[in-house]
Amino acid sequence: MSKRAAPAAERKNGAQVAGGENPKALIRYAVFCAAFAGAALFLVWRVSEALLLLFAGVVFAAFLDALTFLLGKLVQWPRSVRLMIVCTVILVVVSACIAWGGTAIGAQGSELAATVREQINNGLAWLKQHGLKFPADSAGDLTQMRDATPTLKSMLPDVGGLFGPAWTAIATLVAGLGDGMIIAFLGLFLAAQPLVYRDAILLLAPPDRQDCWGLVLEESGQALRHWILGQLITMALIGLLVWLGLMLIGVGPAALLGLQAGLLAFVPTLGPLLAGIIIIVASLPFGIWAVIGAAAIYVSVQTLESYVLTPMVQRRAVSVPPAMLFSGQIVLGVLFGVYGLALATPLAAIIRVFFLRLYVERAPACKDVSALAEPGKPGRAS
C-alpha cells in the first residue's frame, strides 16, 4: 500500500519533481507575470498624458507648499490662511501681468515671429542662390502647368485654408487653458491637505513598511520643493540678465527674448539651446556685431547659471546624474512631447529617491531619512 500511495501522492501534489519546483507551474507563473507586466505597461502608455498632467499638478502643489512653508517663517498663522494668501498673491500677479503686459508682449511676439520668419526665408533664398534645390521646388515645377489652368475649384476660396489655422489656434488655446486649470486645481487640492493624500498612498504599502514609505515620501516632497523653488529662482535670474544684456546692446524685443529664455530654462539642456538659437536669429537684422554681442551675452549667462546659480540654488535638491537626466529627457520627450521634456527632471529626481531608498538601501532607508520628519510629527504640513 505504501508503494502505491507514494506515486499517487506525488502526482496529486504536482509541486515537486526530481529537480525541485514543477516546471509547468514555473512556466505558468512566468507567463502570468509577463502578461501582467505587459498589460500594466500598455495601460500606463495609454494614459501617459493624463499621468504626466497629474504629476504636473503634484509639482505645482509642491510649489504652493514651499511658498506656504516660507511664509510660515515670517508669520505664525494657520497653514490654511498662509496658503490662501499665497494663492491670492499668485492670482493678483498673474492677472496684473496679463492686464498690463499682455498687449505689449503680444505685439513684441508678433514682431519676433516676423523677424525669425524673415531671417529663415533669407537663409533659404541664399541657399537656393548657391545651387541647393529643395524637394518642394521640384514638386512645384511639376505641377506648375496644371495649376496655371483656371478651374471652378481654383476660383472658389479655400475654406480649410480660411478656417483651418483659426480652428487650430482656438483648439490649442482651449486645450492649454484646460490643462492649466486641471494643474491649478489639482495642485491647490493637494497643497490644502497633503497629509490626507499621503496617508491614502501609504495604504498601498505593506503594514510593516508604511513608516519607511512615509519618510521616503517626505524626502521626495522636500526634494521636489527644493527643486521647484531653485528652478524658479534660476529662471527669473536668467530672464532678467538676458533682458538687461540685450537691452544694453540694442537688440529687441529684449523683454520678450529675456522672457522666453527664462521660460525655456525650465527644460534643462534642450531649452537653453533653443532659447539661444532664437536670440541669435532675432539679432540678425541688427548686424554682425549685434549677433556677436547677443551670443556672448547668452553664453555668459548660461556659464553663470551652470557654474554659479545652479550649484548655489539647487545644492539642497536631489542631484541627478547628467547622463540619466539627458536620457530621461530624450525618452520622455519622444514618448510624451512637451510634457515629457518639461517634467523629465523632477520625475527623474523622484524616481531616483524611490529607487535608492526602497530598492538599493531598503532596511537602512528608515534610519537614513528619519531626520527629515520633525520631532513628534509624522510629516511636515506646516
Side-chain angles (χ1 to χ4, degrees), residues 163-213:
F163 296 100
W167 281 114
T168 301
I170 293 175
T172 303
L173 179 61
V174 171
L177 291 177
D179 292 346
M181 294 293 291
I182 293 174
I183 294 172
F185 280 106
L186 181 62
L188 181 60
F189 293 150
L190 292 176
Q193 295 178 317
L195 295 181
V196 173
Y197 300 100
R198 189 203 64 172
D199 294 340
I201 295 176
L202 292 180
L203 293 177
L204 303 176
D208 58 337
R209 300 285 294 176
Q210 287 185 356
D211 293 338
C212 185
W213 273 57

Side-chain angles (χ1 to χ4, degrees), residues 280-366:
I280 292 176
V281 173
S283 61
L284 289 176
F286 298 91
I288 184 62
W289 292 110
V291 174
I292 296 175
I297 289 173
Y298 189 71
V299 170
S300 301
V301 171
Q302 287 300 316
T303 303
L304 180 66
E305 183 267 338
S306 299
Y307 293 100
V308 179
L309 295 180
T310 298
M312 290 178 57
V313 176
Q314 296 281 11
R315 64 182 183 273
R316 296 186 61 186
V318 174
S319 177
V320 181
M324 177 182 174
L325 176 59
F326 190 65
S327 301
Q329 289 177 354
I330 294 176
V331 173
L332 293 179
V334 171
L335 293 178
F336 311 124
V338 178
Y339 282 133
L341 283 175
L343 299 176
T345 301
L347 188 59
I350 298 302
I351 292 175
R352 181 178 182 274
V353 171
F354 272 80
F355 182 78
L356 289 178
R357 298 305 186 187
L358 299 180
Y359 180 75
V360 176
E361 300 177 357
R362 290 189 67 86
C366 296

Side-chain angles (χ1 to χ4, degrees), residues 83-114:
L83 179 61
M84 184 176 62
I85 293 174
V86 167
C87 295
T88 303
V89 171
I90 293 176
L91 183 61
V92 170
V93 171
V94 172
S95 301
C97 292
I98 294 176
W100 294 341
T103 304
I105 292 177
Q108 291 185 0
S110 300
E111 179 183 352
L112 178 60

